[in-house]
C-alpha cells in the first residue's frame, strides 16, 4: 500500500505522552503522529502500553504529561492536585467523537439491537435526526456485511459480527481517525478474516487508522508505518518492509521471532 503524500495534514499526533498507574510507568514520553489517510500499526508485547496509548488519545485515560492533537485542536488541560484534567468538557466530547474507538471486547449495549447500537451516539450526542441516522446506519451495516442483523441483539451474533457492528458504530460518528484496540484478539480464528477484510477495505478508502494488533501479516500488508512499543517507549518504527524485514532492535527481533 502506498504511503499518503507527505504534504497531507497531520490527522492525529501525540507528543511526550506519559502515563502512570500508581508506581507503574505504562507510557514514557511517547510521540507519534499519523497523516490523513495513513494507517499506523502498533505492535508490542502484553503490558507494553499499546492499549493505554489509544485510550489516552481518546481520553478514556488521562495522560500525566504530554499533548494530544486531533486535526488542528490540541487538548487543553488545567492543574488539579496531584495531576491535571481536561480544561473543557465540551472539547473532550469533540475529541472522543473525532477519534472512533473499536474495542477488543466489542462493548456493544446488550439490551439494544444492532441498529440501535449504531444510531445511539449520532442521535443523542451529535443531535442528528433519527431518520437520517437510521438510513446511514443501514448503509454502514451493509458496508460491513451484516445488514440482515440490524434487528438482532448482540448476544445472537457471532464475535465477528459483533465486532463488525462495533466498527459500524464507530463509523457512524464520522470520526477523523479510527482507533482499533486488538480488534481480532477475542475472536475465534475463523472469524478473524471477516473483520480484517472490513478493516482492509477502510484502509483502501483512505481512512486514518491507528491499529493495535498481533496480526503480523495484516500489519505488514496494510500499514503504511509500524510502531513497536516496549515497556512504554517506542523502541523502533518505520515502513513495514524495513521493520519486518530488517529490524534494528534486538527486542523487536525477539518479538517477531515469537510471532508477536
Amino acid at each position: 500500500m502506498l504511503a499518503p503524500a507527505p504534504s497531507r495534514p497531520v490527522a492525529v499526533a501525540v507528543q511526550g505522552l506519559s502515563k502512570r498507574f500508581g508506581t507503574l510507568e505504562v507510557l514514557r514520553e511517547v510521540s507519534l503522529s499519523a497523516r490523513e489517510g495513513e494507517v499506523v500499526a502498533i505492535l508490542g508485547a502484553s503490558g507494553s502500553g499499546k492499549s493505554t496509548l489509544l485510550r489516552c488519545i481518546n481520553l478514556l485515560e488521562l495522560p500525566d504529561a504530554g499533548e494530544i492533537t486531533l486535526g488542528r485542536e490540541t487538548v487543553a488541560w488545567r492543574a488539579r492536585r496531584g495531576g491535571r484534567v481536561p480544561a473543557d468538557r465540551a472539547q473532550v466530547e469533540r475529541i472522543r467523537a473525532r477519534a472512533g474507538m473499536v474495542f477488543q471486547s466489542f462493548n456493544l449495549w446488550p439490551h439494544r439491537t444492532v441498529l440501535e447500537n449504531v444510531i445511539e451516539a449520532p442521535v443523542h450526542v451529535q443531535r442528528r435526526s433519527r431518520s437520517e441516522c437510521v438510513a446511514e446506519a443501514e448503509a454502514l451495516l451493509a458496508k460491513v456485511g451484516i445488514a440482515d442483523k440490524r434487528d438482532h441483539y448482540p448476544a445472537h451474533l457471532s464475535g465477528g459480527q459483533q465486532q463488525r457492528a462495533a466498527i459500524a458504530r464507530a463509523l457512524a460518528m464520522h470520526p477523523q481517525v479510527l482507533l482499533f484496540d486488538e480488534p481480532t484478539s477475542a475472536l475465534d480464528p475463523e472469524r478473524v478474516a471477516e473483520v480484517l477484510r472490513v478493516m482492509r477495505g477502510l484502509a483502501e478508502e483512505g481512512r486514518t487508522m491507528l491499529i493495535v494488533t498481533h496480526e503480523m501479516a495484516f500489519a505488514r500488508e496494510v500499514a503504511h508505518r509500524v510502531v513497536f512499543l516496549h515497556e512504554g517507549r517506542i523502541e523502533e518504527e518505520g515502513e513495514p518492509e524495513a521493520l519486518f524485514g530488517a529490524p534494528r532492535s534486538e527486542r523487536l527481533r525477539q518479538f517477531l521471532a515469537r510471532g508477536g
Side-chain angles (χ1 to χ4, degrees):
M1 183 177 292
L2 294 176
S7 58
R8 287 192 181 181
V10 172
V12 57
V14 299
Q15 184 68 37
L17 214 63
S18 296
K19 176 64 180 178
R20 287 177 175 271
F21 293 105
T23 60
L24 179 63
E25 258 190 308
V26 180
L27 295 175
R28 307 180 187 192
E29 298 186 357
V30 171
S31 298
L32 66 79
S33 64
R35 294 188 177 276
E36 290 181 0
E38 190 174 18
V39 178
V40 178
I42 303 171
L43 312 181
S46 178
S48 60
K50 309 180 303 296
S51 296
T52 300
L53 173 59
L54 292 194
R55 291 176 67 84
C56 283
I57 292 172
N58 192 253
L59 297 176
L60 293 172
E61 298 286 356
L62 300 181
D64 299 307
E67 300 302 330
I68 302 166
T69 301
L70 263 77
R72 298 182 180 180
E73 187 167 13
T74 299
V75 176
W77 304 94
R78 63 178 175 83
R80 187 182 67 176
R81 179 182 294 180
R84 63 180 190 170
V85 293
D88 181 356
R89 185 67 194 177
Q91 184 185 52
V92 171
E93 297 302 326
R94 288 196 302 274
I95 294 295
R96 286 180 178 164
R98 293 171 184 170
M101 190 89 167
V102 179
F103 300 89
Q104 176 180 337
S105 55
F106 322 136
N107 283 24
L108 298 172
W109 287 294
H111 61 291
R112 298 186 186 279
T113 66
V114 167
L115 182 71
E116 289 168 343
N117 267 277
V118 175
I119 69 171
E120 177 75 12
V123 169
H124 296 288
V125 177
Q126 295 181 331
R127 304 295 183 187
R128 293 161 54 196
S129 76
R130 182 179 176 85
S131 60
E132 173 194 345
C133 293
V134 167
E136 183 174 56
E138 289 173 338
L140 288 171
L141 293 174
K143 181 188 187 75
V144 300
I146 53 169
D148 59 328
K149 305 298 182 184
R150 54 160 283 167
D151 296 321
H152 290 225
Y153 289 90
H156 300 149
L157 273 58
S158 71
Q161 290 167 340
Q162 289 188 62
Q163 193 60 288
R164 285 184 281 162
I167 292 171
R169 179 181 60 184
L171 291 171
M173 293 292 283
H174 300 176
Q176 290 178 301
V177 59
L178 286 165
L179 309 175
F180 289 88
D181 185 10
E182 299 192 31
T184 61
S185 64
L187 303 180
D188 295 331
E190 63 269 21
R191 302 298 181 186
V192 170
E194 60 194 36
V195 172
L196 294 182
R197 192 179 308 116
V198 170
M199 293 172 63
R200 185 177 288 107
L202 294 174
E204 290 170 353
E205 289 177 4
R207 300 272 185 174
T208 308
M209 301 161 69
L210 300 185
I211 305 172
V212 168
T213 184
H214 288 289
E215 302 289 341
M216 299 295 113
F218 177 79
R220 188 167 190 164
E221 176 188 349
V222 173
H224 299 106
R225 190 155 45 88
V226 178
V227 172
F228 174 62
L229 280 180
H230 177 71
E231 294 183 352
R233 298 186 189 276
I234 294 180
E235 178 80 9
E236 189 169 340
E237 65 178 302
E239 295 183 358
E241 286 308 311
L243 192 139
F244 285 106
R248 301 186 304 275
S249 161
E250 177 60 28
R251 293 188 181 99
L252 177 55
R253 285 195 289 270
Q254 293 172 0
F255 176 81
L256 295 176
R258 295 193 303 267

